[in-house]
């Protein structure tokens, strides 16, 4: 019974069976990491084709990991890949697979209504003890949870791209999230080999709340003619020790994603100058220059 858990070992043991919904960029990474750390994972998406692609991507990513990790013993590497892949199954029917799951991690499209509909349906199908989480970057966890009757067993698990590489998980405690649920999510993050930090259910949590306004400030500085993109990027890398400059990072994250986040915050808090839209960013997005994924953003990419 999840209510009687107290030790961290017991909290950790609470999550064995994980359902990851959405087999895109983030969901595939989350499934890979959960399976690599011994969890039994069901990956759910809307079509078999997408799931096949996701599984292929996971296999390729695992092979890259073991190439380094098992450089001395490639046979052990291959055995590890096979073992991890065995921990992952796939499905297009979320409602039926959640019947046997301890934890749902949702990583579908960033749309409140679509997420609410999904969780509303899962709430009826999942057992009492199952904890629901969203990987949302910009939507309030409480708003997503409102379509369910398990507000105490609903929290946020915000991973970073690429999931297998990035050590941080922001664990979000919404106002109604129980301490028990929150503790289980912290322990689960550690069991994944990640470093969790505790966040409140506030826009951008910690990382994006600081990073998005910072990137927009860089664009505004450039728009005022106070620095070239190249110089701003070099300055932040060599002067502040950042691994990427703000324009490189915007291209990596995707200009459309950054615009979506800032527009959402601006709508809710129009007087906050940190959330002001940027004409240059809007222009590039309108031109379809979204960054690395389209071959051009602030920079051209091969
Ligand atoms: P993506 O577009 O790569 O993947 C989304 C997947 O969800 C697609 O495969 C799609 O077919 C599937 N999907 C959509 N609706 C579905 C439904 N009703 N049921 C099952 N599957 C469904 O998106 P990505 O980038 O992986 O983002 C997913 C979530 O993670 C979003 O909420 C996003 O805000 C969040 N996030 C994204 C980060 C990033 O760097 N891309 C970082 C952290 C969080």
């Amino acid at each position: 019974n999840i209510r009687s858990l107290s030790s961290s070992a017991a909290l950790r043991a609470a999550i064995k069976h994980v359902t990851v919904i959405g087999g895109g960029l983030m969901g595939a990474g989350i499934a890979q990491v959960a399976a690599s750390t011994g969890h039994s994972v069901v990956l759910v998406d809307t079509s078999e084709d997408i799931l096949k692609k996701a599984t292929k991507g996971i296999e390729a990513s695992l092979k890259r990991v073991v190439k380094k990790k098992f450089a001395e013993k490639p046979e052990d590497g291959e055995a590890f890949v096979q073992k991890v892949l065995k921990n992952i199954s796939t499905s297009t029917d979320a409602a039926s697979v959640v019947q046997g799951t301890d934890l749902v991690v949702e990583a579908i499209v960033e749309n409140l209504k679509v997420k609410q509909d999904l969780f509303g349906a899962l709430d009826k199908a999942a057992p009492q003890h199952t904890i629901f989480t969203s990987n949302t970057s910009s939507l309030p966890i409480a708003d997503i949870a409102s379509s369910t009757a398990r507000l105490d067993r609903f929290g946020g698990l915000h991973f970073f791209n690429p999931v297998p590489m990035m050590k941080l998980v922001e664990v979000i405690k919404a106002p109604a999230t129980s301490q028990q649920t929150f503790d289980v999510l912290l322990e689960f993050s550690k069991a994944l080999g990640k470093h969790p930090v505790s966040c409140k259910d506030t826009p951008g949590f910690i990382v994006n709340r600081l990073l998005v306004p910072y990137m927009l400030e860089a664009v505004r500085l450039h728009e005022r003619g106070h620095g070239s993109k190249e110089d701003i990027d070099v300055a932040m890398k060599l002067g502040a020790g950042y691994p990427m400059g703000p324009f490189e990072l915007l291209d990596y994250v995707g200009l459309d994603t950054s615009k979506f986040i800032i527009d959402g915050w601006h709508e809710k808090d129009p007087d906050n100058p940190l959330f002001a839209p940027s004409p240059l960013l809007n222009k590039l997005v309108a031109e379809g220059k979204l960054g690395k994924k389209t071959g051009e953003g602030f920079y051209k990419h091969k």
Side-chain angles (χ1 to χ4, degrees):
N1 181 340
I2 206 152
R3 256 180 228 129
S4 60
L5 301 180
S6 52
S7 73
S8 69
L11 288 167
R12 195 170 281 212
I15 308 295
K16 290 203 182 76
H17 202 296
V18 182
T19 300
V20 179
I21 307 186
L25 184 66
M26 297 302 291
I30 296 164
Q32 177 183 332
V33 170
S36 298
T37 48
H39 300 86
S40 131
V41 179
V42 185
L43 183 60
V44 177
D45 209 301
T46 50
S47 81
E48 293 296 344
D49 261 9
I50 298 174
L51 288 168
K52 238 181 233 146
K53 239 198 230 153
T55 314
K56 279 235 166 76
I58 291 172
E59 185 170 355
S61 169
L62 282 169
K63 287 195 163 144
R64 283 196 297 274
V65 173
V66 299
K67 225 178 177 174
K68 283 187 217 145
K69 236 181 152 177
F70 295 85
E72 310 286 302
K73 273 198 162 182
E75 324 84 70
D76 289 4
E78 184 51 33
F80 177 76
V81 171
Q82 291 315 320
K83 198 174 122 200
V84 173
L85 290 175
K86 262 208 194 133
N87 285 344
I88 305 177
S89 58
T90 61
S91 171
T92 54
D93 183 3
S96 81
V97 302
V98 294
Q99 287 168 23
T101 207
D102 304 314
L103 174 72
V104 172
V105 184
E106 169 273 312
I108 67 168
V109 57
E110 188 75 337
N111 176 300
L112 180 59
K113 174 84 174 53
V114 179
K115 289 190 198 281
Q116 285 173 335
D117 287 350
L118 172 72
F119 279 117
L122 296 185
D123 192 35
K124 296 186 181 76
Q128 260 265 271
H129 79 277
T130 306
I131 294 176
F132 287 179
T133 65
S134 175
N135 182 50
T136 181
S137 288
S138 63
L139 303 167
I141 297 297
D143 289 1
I144 303 172
S146 68
S147 65
T148 73
R150 60 179 79 211
L151 302 186
D152 56 325
R153 283 150 289 150
F154 207 118
L157 280 179
H158 187 231
F159 292 85
F160 291 79
N161 176 41
V163 181
M165 305 283 299
M166 299 292 279
K167 281 279 172 202
L168 185 70
V169 180
E170 292 180 327
V171 182
I172 295 108
K173 193 169 190 283
T177 309
S178 73
Q179 189 61 41
Q180 173 84 70
T181 296
F182 188 66
D183 290 343
V184 168
L185 295 178
L186 288 174
E187 281 306 318
F188 172 68
S189 306
K190 289 183 204 160
L192 296 181
K194 301 294 182 197
H195 193 120
V197 292
S198 305
C199 296
K200 291 284 152 52
D201 193 13
T202 54
F205 312 126
I206 295 176
V207 171
N208 284 340
R209 178 61 182 77
L210 294 176
L211 202 52
V212 174
Y214 150 74
M215 294 191 297
L216 265 287
E217 260 316 279
V219 179
R220 285 190 272 268
L221 193 151
H222 173 57
E223 279 176 311
R224 291 195 300 270
H226 295 174
S228 71
K229 293 176 290 202
E230 292 80 3
D231 279 353
I232 295 170
D233 277 349
V234 167
M236 292 315 289
K237 284 190 284 189
L238 300 188
Y242 285 25
M244 280 187 214
F247 294 96
E248 291 170 325
L249 190 56
L250 278 161
D251 274 9
Y252 182 78
V253 170
L255 273 49
D256 52 338
T257 303
S258 305
K259 175 176 156 52
F260 180 84
I261 293 174
I262 207 74
D263 286 353
W265 295 353
H266 178 65
E267 209 183 296
K268 283 198 179 147
D269 190 359
D271 298 329
N272 191 335
L274 291 175
F275 301 163
S278 147
L280 177 55
L281 181 71
N282 290 349
K283 174 174 170 281
L284 290 170
V285 171
E287 290 168 358
K289 293 174 182 165
L290 307 183
K292 249 186 124 173
K293 62 185 166 192
T294 60
E296 188 174 351
F298 284 101
Y299 296 113
K300 285 203 165 73
H301 302 267
K302 272 184 229 122

